[in-house]
Amino acid sequence: MADELKLLSTWFSPFGSRVKLALHLKGLSYEYVEEEDLMNKSQLLLESNPVHKKVPVLFHRGKALCESMVIVDYIEEAFADAGPPLLPSDPYERAVARFWVAFIETKLVEPWFKMLDGTRARAEMADGVKQMLAAVATLEGALAQCAKGRPFFGGDGVGYVDVALGGLLVWVRASEVLLGGVKFIDAARTPLLAAWADRLAALDAAKAALPDFGRVIKHAMMRRGAAAAALAQSN
Ligand SMILES: N[C@@H](CCC(=O)N[C@@H](CS)C(=O)NCC(=O)O)C(=O)O
């Protein structure tokens, strides 16, 4: 295996998809290991990510790296000569890209995770949808600011923010169905993001990295049902 890269993830993990996207964009080959059951975690996961016990974990020459965007940063630095750069060379532009990734983590991923766990009351769900819609509207502006008329947040090529948001893309689309038809990325309301999403999804790297939409819906419904049943039992 070239440079001994091994990725431990689950097929559906949007965070794992970020790492896969970065690896494919860089043209790096890796061994993939599926974490079969997050309710019954493997020894490999427990030992390699003892703090959070979450996928993805990337192993480089046997050393474990955790947290998807930390891993993407690592790939960028450790394989600087492989593929196109994900981060701009200008320090200010780099800081701007990192700012938007921090925004995605706190303003989009956090409310979204809460809504999908199947245990939230109606008012909390409505509030979560509102927060997500506001975050997506802000990201529409960020895309205009970063891309300046070019196709991606990274400019002419896929960059750090594209990887962070692109990894989530299938799940954001699936959430539109799971949350009863609310449109987060919408040609009328967020035209730049809608076109960006189509462009990103069409890339070979995205086809290799992102999970199947229908399979994600099925998986999320099953997980939500199980969480709701567990909550009902505990009440
Ligand atoms: N902030 C982490 C999030 C990783 C994460 O939440 N992974 C999920 C799978 S999508 C997980 O492993 N969950 C197991 C658990 O929470 O116990 C990252 O970006 O890597």
Side-chain angles (χ1 to χ4, degrees), residues 10 12-15 18 38 41 52-56 67-69 105 113:
T10 56
F12 57 82
S13 172
F15 308 103
R18 288 172 166 174
L38 285 174
K41 292 172 181 166
H52 295 307
K53 305 176 178 68
K54 291 182 182 199
V55 293
E67 277 297 321
S68 56
M69 291 312 292
E105 302 301 62
F113 247 48

Side-chain angles (χ1 to χ4, degrees), residues 128-161:
V129 168
K130 232 164 78 183
Q131 287 178 40
M132 276 187 73
L133 285 169
V136 172
T138 303
L139 286 171
E140 175 80 359
L143 179 54
Q145 179 206 326
C146 296
K148 298 185 184 74
R150 294 166 302 168
F152 297 104
F153 282 91
D156 289 320
V158 174
Y160 193 65
V161 184

Side-chain angles (χ1 to χ4, degrees), residues 75-122:
I75 293 170
E76 177 79 346
E77 282 185 27
F79 299 93
D81 296 337
L86 298 174
L87 277 158
S89 56
D90 177 67
Y92 179 77
E93 298 289 323
R94 251 195 332 260
V96 170
R98 291 203 162 104
F99 170 85
W100 285 118
V101 169
F103 177 89
I104 289 167
E105 302 301 62
T106 52
K107 301 294 183 190
L108 190 68
V109 173
E110 276 181 24
W112 173 52
F113 247 48
K114 280 190 203 155
M115 283 189 297
L116 286 184
D117 75 2
T119 66
R120 306 289 158 168
R122 198 175 280 246

